[in-house]
Amino acid sequence: MNNKSFISEVANRTGMDSEDAQMFAYTLVDVMNECFQKGDVVSFSNFGSFEVKKRMERIMVSPNSKKRMLVPPKLVLSFKPSSTIKEKIKNGGLQ
Amino acid sequence: MNNKSFISEVANRTGMDSEDAQMFAYTLVDVMNECFQKGDVVSFSNFGSFEVKKRMERIMVSPNSKKRMLVPPKLVLSFKPSSTIKEKIKNGGLQ
């Protein structure tokens, strides 16, 4: 389900119009981005938490040339699902 | 930043009251859950995409007892950040 159809479904259910709903979704991402820049963890109790993590420098062997290469450290955004959602997905049924 | 303070910040910026904003966030998660149960990928263009993946059965060696154990297959929720957000996080500055 892509962005647009998803947001209009949520708008329908909450009685909001789609534009307000889209604005809310964009603002949600903006505020999350600002949190990430400050190094904050953003957590949603019934969904999961997002955190910027530092992936350390590591040595990798190129599959083609078999040469060893140094992969520099990198900041990555990681997501950890909450236990509620893990259960729902594991059981594969609608709870 | 936890759920409550996060949602009220987004509510402030969009002129919504906090309760409507909280309702929107819960509905967002509900609709996502329904998509996951149907095996749909949920993608937000400026943020990333969520997908339920099957982690295959694998053999693990218990670090304590050194015994080999079969870990059964499992459904897990995975998140893939969009290129936009990867860039923002990599550069570590507000864009």
Side-chain angles (χ1 to χ4, degrees):
Chain A
M1 192 185 258
N2 71 12
N3 204 27
K4 219 168 170 213
S5 47
F6 184 87
I7 294 293
S8 50
E9 173 62 21
V10 178
N12 273 344
R13 295 195 195 185
T14 51
M16 275 171 87
D17 73 60
S18 280
E19 262 145 51
D20 287 348
Q22 190 66 66
M23 179 51 71
F24 186 91
Y26 279 132
T27 309
L28 197 86
V29 172
D30 282 347
V31 175
M32 285 177 90
N33 260 323
E34 287 164 28
C35 290
F36 297 148
Q37 306 304 333
K38 288 184 285 187
D40 283 354
V41 175
V42 176
S43 58
F44 298 98
S45 48
N46 58 345
F47 185 64
S49 58
F50 297 90
E51 186 178 0
V52 175
K53 289 188 175 170
K54 185 165 185 175
R55 192 172 288 165
M56 302 311 284
E57 195 178 76
R58 65 188 194 280
I59 294 176
M60 230 184 75
V61 177
S62 153
N64 305 332
S65 65
K66 304 295 180 218
K67 267 196 204 144
R68 288 158 59 94
M69 303 185 306
L70 186 67
V71 179
K74 190 165 97 157
L75 291 176
V76 292
L77 177 60
S78 78
F79 168 67
K80 201 171 156 232
S82 69
S83 43
T84 348
I85 208 159
K86 270 192 208 171
E87 275 313 303
K88 279 184 183 174
I89 288 192
K90 207 169 81 181
N91 302 335
L94 260 185
Q95 249 89 26
Chain B
M1 191 185 259
N2 69 14
N3 203 25
K4 215 163 178 220
S5 46
F6 185 87
I7 294 292
S8 49
E9 174 62 21
V10 178
N12 273 344
R13 295 195 194 185
T14 51
M16 277 171 84
D17 71 74
S18 279
E19 261 147 52
D20 287 347
Q22 190 66 68
M23 178 53 69
F24 186 91
Y26 279 133
T27 309
L28 196 84
V29 172
D30 282 348
V31 175
M32 285 177 91
N33 261 324
E34 287 165 29
C35 290
F36 298 148
Q37 306 304 334
K38 287 184 285 188
D40 283 352
V41 175
V42 177
S43 58
F44 299 98
S45 47
N46 58 345
F47 186 63
S49 58
F50 296 91
E51 186 178 359
V52 174
K53 290 188 174 170
K54 183 165 188 176
R55 193 172 287 165
M56 302 311 286
E57 194 179 75
R58 64 188 196 279
I59 294 176
M60 230 185 74
V61 176
S62 153
N64 305 333
S65 65
K66 304 296 180 217
K67 267 196 202 147
R68 288 158 60 94
M69 303 186 306
L70 186 67
V71 179
K74 189 165 96 158
L75 292 176
V76 292
L77 178 60
S78 78
F79 169 67
K80 202 172 154 227
S82 69
S83 43
T84 348
I85 209 160
K86 268 193 212 171
E87 275 313 304
K88 279 184 183 174
I89 292 207
K90 206 170 80 179
N91 303 334
L94 261 186
Q95 250 90 26

